Amino acid sequence: PQSFEKSRGCGFLMSKNNSEQKEKPFAWLKIQQMKSNSSAKLKEAVNYSVNQEQCLRCFLQDPQLPLDYNDAERSIKAFCVGKHS
């Protein structure tokens, strides 16, 4: 039987050889973090990504995790908006 990830088109995330693929972005980020000739904005983005590595790894392990809270915020908006009146 086809796994859930493959049926959703995310099967590549669960392949055995993919641990190396998951490491590549983090290795690149750590190299960029050590470079002194990067722009301030790039350094800021790289530092943020390195600081969020644990959360990003969770997302890579489980593609069902949302990257943002839009759905949660939208669901509570109705009663929060009326609360401030």
Side-chain angles (χ1 to χ4, degrees):
Q2 196 174 34
S3 71
F4 178 75
E5 288 80 15
K6 287 188 179 186
S7 67
R8 293 196 58 213
C10 301
F12 70 94
L13 291 172
M14 298 300 171
S15 68
K16 290 180 184 176
N17 296 331
N18 204 356
S19 61
E20 184 179 315
Q21 292 287 348
K22 291 176 189 174
E23 293 300 320
K24 284 182 180 182
F26 299 111
W28 182 85
L29 286 167
K30 289 174 184 169
I31 290 169
Q32 295 304 312
Q33 195 175 34
M34 290 186 271
K35 287 186 177 180
S36 61
N37 61 351
S38 300
S39 71
K41 290 287 185 180
L42 178 60
K43 280 186 179 182
E44 184 180 338
V46 167
N47 287 335
Y48 177 82
S49 298
V50 169
N51 291 337
Q52 299 299 317
E53 181 176 347
Q54 184 178 2
C55 296
L56 291 169
R57 286 184 184 278
C58 288
F59 176 75
L60 289 173
Q61 292 295 325
D62 186 359
Q64 289 183 305
L65 292 174
L67 279 175
D68 56 39
Y69 295 110
N70 288 344
D71 290 336
E73 290 173 355
R74 204 174 303 120
S75 68
I76 64 170
K77 185 178 180 181
F79 68 85
C80 287
V81 170
K83 198 175 188 182
H84 298 288
S85 297

